[in-house]
Amino acid sequence: MRDLVRNIRVLRWRVLARHGALALTTLFALIPFVWMLSLSVKPPEEIFQPEFHLWPQKFNGLENYSVALTAAPMHLFLINGLFVCATIFLLQLLVCVPCAYALAKLRFRGRDTLFAAVLVGLLVPPQALAIPHFVLLHVFGLLDTYAALILPWIISTFGIFLMRQFFRAVPDELIDAARLDGLGEFEIIWRVMIPVAVPAIAAFGIFSVVAHWNDLFWPLIAIRSEELSTPALGILLFRDDEAGQFLGPLMAGATIIVAPLVVAFLFAQQRFIDGISFTART
Amino acid sequence: MTAVAPGRQHRLSHASLVAGLAVAPAVVLLALLLFGPALAVAVFSLTDWQIGASSFRFLGLANYQALFADRIFWTSLVNTVIYVVIVVPGTVGLGLVVALLIEAQPSLRGFYRAAHFLPVMSTMAAMAIVWGTMLHPTIGLVNRMLAEFGIPATNWLRDPRTVLPALAVIGIWQGFGFAMVLFVAGLKSVPQSLYDAAAIDGADRALDRLRVVTLPMLGPVTMFVLILTATRAFEVFDTVRVLTQGGPNFASDVLLYRLYTESFDFLRTGYGAALTVVYLVIVVLLTLTQARVLDRRVHYT
Amino acid sequence: MSGIALSAVAKSHGATPVLRGISLDIRDGEFLTLVGPSGCGKSTLLRIIAGLDAQDSGAVVIGGRVVDGLRPKDRDVAMVFQAYALYPHMSVFDNMALPLRMRRLSGAQRLPLVGALSPGRRPIEEGIRHEVEETAALLDIGHLLSRKPGQLSGGQRQRVALGRAMVRHPAVFLMDEPLSNLDAKLRVQMRAEITALHRRLGSTFVFVTHDQAEAMTMSDRVAVMMAGELIQVGAPDELYADPRDMRVAEFIGSPKINVVPAAALDQGTRAAMAAVPGASALAFRPEAADICAPAAGVLAGSITGVENLGADIFLHVAARPAHSQGALPLIVRVAPSGRRFAVGDVVGVNPDPARVLQFDAGGRRLKARERVAA
């Protein structure tokens, strides 16, 4: 009996210790978001006053958010982000899926060489190709266009690799059955492989969209015009702008930029977490 | 027999035609957007060419000589290494501890997982701006909190001694939730029967379980997380560009930021290309050696 | 003394009961098999004996000592797991040495790096090495000690798992379907090795399996479990010849016992099979009937399959009793003789009335004594 009491006491202590430790790390993870939201609804004088309140004494949210939305084309940043990310992903699929299918399931000369090339390509960080991509786009007069944001990314060795690994796990019998049913190879890709590969495609999609929505390096190089900016570049331009000197509107702007992915994440947490960790482990 | 042979021939050529069609776009684009450019960088690095210029001269290794003689290059390299050396253990260690804590008991698991993962999803450029205000010397949250304990204010991002650690903390903040998720996945794949066996063998205290079962079984996942975190840390750019522009006095200059300014601000294409080649070599070597070294130590078969 | 006594052990997962009050005495040195279909609770019962799970009510006594609340390592039991549960990062030697190290080395001595320097560790390690090597030699795995589990075949892993259990000489061995991951041939060989091991060690063995053939060939006694209940405990031949419940009769024996619903039979057939009032099902083993001419048979039907195993031939017969809706499948063993059977032949089946088992509507066996009384 005394043992039992001691065990319960130990157990309760463990529960408390776990929540205590996790509360600290959770605070570390979330505090920038809390700070951002707090400042985004505060008037300037409150931001600068010595004592700090999480919730403002005078709510200035409407003003801050309307400044953020009018002083910079925030809505354009978001639309550009959506358009660019969606286009990149679709083109990536168009290129990657047939290639991955061929690498996984068809026998042809040069297959091993091509796969080796894909593996080598995986090692190359995209930033290392910025100069030649810039030159290429310059030569074709495409700098500072949507094309400049999209074209360098439409070949994804990572996407090919990921889909190839996934397709390899699909049993050959399924494909042979489809062939006996009279489907051509491209029909097999479209009607058999893609439906089977939905989890992998979703994972790759989440990975790709998150990467390009948040990318700052390449838009900084490829784009000069504000109205073509993607979200990450947009918020930077907004900060360096006149209105961005005020912290309230700046934090409102940051909130607007961060919100879409965060909201999407909160709605489909498991998909996002699976998607991103799945892509990392393959 | 003779009737079969042409049919076979036909089917074979048809199959290779299909395969050719399927891989053609990828092959063309790989050549055009990946291997061609990689080659071009190497070639650029041997010339004095500038973007827009109509002619160029071959300089041999002059760009590399200039690079290695450049004190700022070495500063940025050292800074990057310091940054990586702080971020990698911080991210991996914190990620592992949080994963172990989350999986230890079921209550609030979902909430903790989502909360820690939120920074991974968020746009770093925007969050860097937020961090900038948190680290602000007078109105920033960090100094306000330290003041409560009577610790004098620091200008974190303008002080050469604190700027790299401050950026590293931001790096850890963004990455540790990702490491956590990977570790959680790893923890879930440890078979329960191993813990049962350990309990029967007498390893049933938390620390013994950790030492006998959990940590060894996380070996392969740890390798992934290490490589991933190290590569990402080597690519640090957003925070530097947004918060410090490499300052004060190059104290936070890092390789990728150097690459960006030399190539696209100063338009020194040849020099930038040489820098790129060095960067590329470092990243590739890092990944390959890490994979090899760690693989040998954690492969159990 | 290290018998095991379970009294009224019960457990539920939420609202679903997994074990409904199991009471069972396992004698010291006995080889007892818990057998039943998957989900019957046999593994849970084993885990409760091991201390890996806690029962909701009831008591477990091992070697005269109430062990409820004791941790697995303090119960003097060893366990062999279905997938072996060897530590993949440790060599065979370290796998087998771990239980000894955990017991004999202090916490400080077990520390990585530092532990190796601590005084007094040397002689203990020497002793452990000696014992591990002895056990390994016994199991014929002495040459594998430096390998990792990943480099071993299934049979070798099985031996290492046994070795890890044996090395500290526990009073009780618990085995959770240890043979189910082996191929058929190896399984038969390991059955013999485990029973030989049991004879040599003389410890109490509790063996869990869903394979009735394993249970029948290895054990001193078999405990049949169904749906969280202990249906019958007895020696293998006793279970086979004298099942107390229809479910036991159907579970034990291969091919399965033939079951004929009494309602399907007319008066004469029932009498020919010695049916008693209250019998709702009549059952007989394939070897408890003869094949005869259709007209001479108590039951008759056409042959639907012939399984010739060499020493035995099993005939599958679709019998058509008087009041049966459809065909009633029966299996009858015949000794090989000159007579050849072909699918489609119509034959008679004559069960030996003395060997017909009778069950009431609840599936309970109606014993001979009750028959006489009736």
Side-chain angles (χ1 to χ4, degrees), chain B residues 274-293:
Chain B
L275 190 49
T276 305
V277 170
V278 172
Y279 171 74
L280 186 62
V281 168
I282 292 176
V283 170
V284 169
L285 280 183
L286 185 82
T287 315
L288 289 182
T289 47
Q290 262 181 333
R292 177 123 342 144
V293 170

Side-chain angles (χ1 to χ4, degrees), chain B residues 19 28 61 77-78 80 84 93 103 113 134 138 140 154 181 185 215 218 224 262 268 272-273 279 290:
Chain B
V28 170
L61 296 175
L77 181 59
V78 170
T80 311
V84 171
E103 286 300 296
R113 236 154 54 105
M134 283 172 56
T138 52
T154 312
V181 162
L215 292 183
L218 283 181
F224 272 120
E262 292 291 352
R268 294 165 68 185
Y279 171 74
Q290 262 181 333

Side-chain angles (χ1 to χ4, degrees), chain A residues 132-253:
Chain A
H133 284 164
F134 184 82
V135 172
L136 207 61
L137 292 165
H138 173 75
V139 169
F140 288 100
L142 290 173
L143 282 174
D144 205 20
T145 64
Y146 281 125
L149 287 171
I150 293 164
L151 286 180
W153 305 108
I154 59 179
I155 180 79
S156 165
T157 46
F158 180 68
I160 296 175
F161 179 72
L162 183 78
M163 299 309 296
R164 182 247 184 202
Q165 298 302 86
F166 195 88
F167 286 157
R168 265 170 72 90
V170 176
D172 283 334
E173 286 90 349
L174 195 63
I175 295 163
D176 286 336
R179 285 189 187 130
L180 289 178
D181 289 342
L183 271 70
E185 294 297 320
F186 287 97
E187 264 181 305
I188 290 177
I189 296 179
W190 180 244
R191 296 208 183 171
V192 180
M193 297 310 261
I194 288 193
V196 165
V198 162
I201 291 175
F204 178 55
I206 286 167
F207 169 85
S208 168
V209 167
V210 169
H212 295 296
W213 183 279
N214 292 338
D215 186 28
L216 178 65
F217 187 81
W218 181 246
L220 209 51
I221 293 166
I223 295 298
R224 290 270 172 273
S225 326
E226 191 179 38
E227 62 274 13
L228 288 179
S229 294
T230 51
L233 178 60
I235 188 66
L236 196 59
L237 295 179
F238 178 57
R239 184 195 60 175
D240 298 340
D241 202 59
E242 205 175 324
Q245 304 306 306
F246 297 98
L247 286 184
L250 181 62
M251 291 299 113

